[in-house]
Amino acid sequence: MIEDHEFISSKDVPGPTKEEIRCLLLCKSEVSSDDIVVDIGCGTGGITTDFAKIAKKVISIDKNPNAIELTSKNIKKHDVFENVDLIENDAISALKSIENFDIAIIGGSGGDLDEILELVFSKLNKNGRIIVTGILIETKYVAIKKLKSLGLEPKIVEVNISRGKSIGLGMMMLAENPISIISSKIK
Ligand SMILES: C[S@@+](CC[C@H](N)C(=O)[O-])C[C@H]1O[C@@H](n2cnc3c(N)ncnc32)[C@H](O)[C@@H]1O
């Protein structure tokens, strides 16, 4: 796994998604070399970079031009640029313009999660997987409600990570904010 500090970062772009969360996303999505992955809200490119090491192709979308530029730098830094397509656009317009895919990771939706999930569902191949990461209660609520209304059975886990930090007398654990991972599989 690529450690967080190995990504080029910028104050005006969120991410990268924490290493331990990226690790869980790789496992939960069961990504393979046959899969086409869409990373919605690619930010710094943390998720794009890890998935591009395994997947056939990653299509990375972000409405912030600085995020697209940063993701471009990070996929080049980690030598995974050949199977990544970058789209600078809002998720809804971008999704309308792309073909079917196998896995959608939604890390940013800007209040459009309901419509994004609807579009993602219509474009997923058989055995497709949808994963939403969220820190807001509203994101979790909309994701669960919408996935259920699409006839899916969403699962949710909340991940609490604490990192060791050396202080004078030893090492103390410092808590990060919890992140929820909401996932569903098309059957
Ligand atoms: C928390 S960051 C994602 C971090 C990323 N997963 C990583 O590992 O670096 C969320 C991103 O979603 C983007 N975003 C939010 N709403 C969006 C939308 N409707 N369409 C496209 N991008 C969006 C933001 O610009 C931001 O860069």
Side-chain angles (χ1 to χ4, degrees):
M1 288 295 296
I2 303 169
E3 292 185 31
D4 297 345
H5 68 86
E6 295 177 280
F7 287 97
I8 304 162
S9 59
S10 164
K11 276 185 193 141
D12 60 352
V13 179
T17 301
K18 298 275 181 286
E19 179 190 349
E20 294 79 6
I21 303 294
R22 285 183 277 117
C23 201
L24 285 171
L25 296 178
L26 289 173
C27 291
K28 284 190 163 287
S29 65
E30 297 172 17
V31 59
S32 80
S33 56
D34 294 329
D35 289 325
I36 297 176
V37 179
V38 176
D39 180 11
I40 299 167
C42 60
T44 299
I47 290 172
T48 290
T49 306
D50 275 328
F51 275 78
K53 284 180 170 182
I54 301 171
K56 185 170 159 188
K57 187 175 172 181
V58 180
I59 302 165
S60 306
I61 301 164
D62 207 295
K63 63 183 179 183
N64 178 355
N66 295 338
I68 293 296
E69 199 184 323
L70 199 51
T71 297
S72 172
K73 284 183 185 164
N74 276 312
I75 56 177
K76 284 179 190 143
K77 178 177 177 188
H78 296 285
D79 203 20
V80 290
F81 55 89
E82 279 180 0
N83 57 336
V84 179
D85 288 351
L86 298 173
I87 304 180
E88 182 196 318
N89 208 338
D90 73 272
I92 292 169
S93 308
L95 282 165
K96 283 180 182 162
S97 72
I98 61 181
E99 301 289 319
N100 287 15
F101 43 85
D102 304 287
I103 298 174
I105 311 286
I106 306 170
S109 56
D112 293 329
L113 186 56
D114 195 284
E115 199 178 339
I116 291 171
L117 283 170
E118 185 102 33
L119 264 170
V120 159
F121 184 69
S122 71
K123 299 239 171 188
L124 271 175
N125 291 330
K126 194 166 172 265
N127 297 324
R129 285 84 86 198
I130 305 177
I131 301 189
V132 182
T133 57
I135 52 173
L136 300 178
I137 295 165
E138 289 78 0
T139 303
K140 303 171 202 185
Y141 174 75
V142 173
I144 294 283
K145 192 168 174 230
K146 185 67 187 180
L147 291 168
K148 279 187 177 168
S149 82
L150 293 168
L152 302 173
E153 291 171 15
K155 292 182 180 161
I156 179 163
V157 290
E158 184 146 272
V159 186
N160 294 274
I161 294 166
S162 297
R163 288 173 194 279
K165 183 178 184 217
S166 291
I167 55 167
L169 289 173
M171 188 171 272
M172 74 173 284
M173 303 307 295
L174 287 182
E176 303 270 356
N177 63 279
I179 298 180
S180 290
I181 303 174
I182 302 121
S183 53
S184 269
K185 247 188 203 183
I186 314 287
K187 287 178 187 152

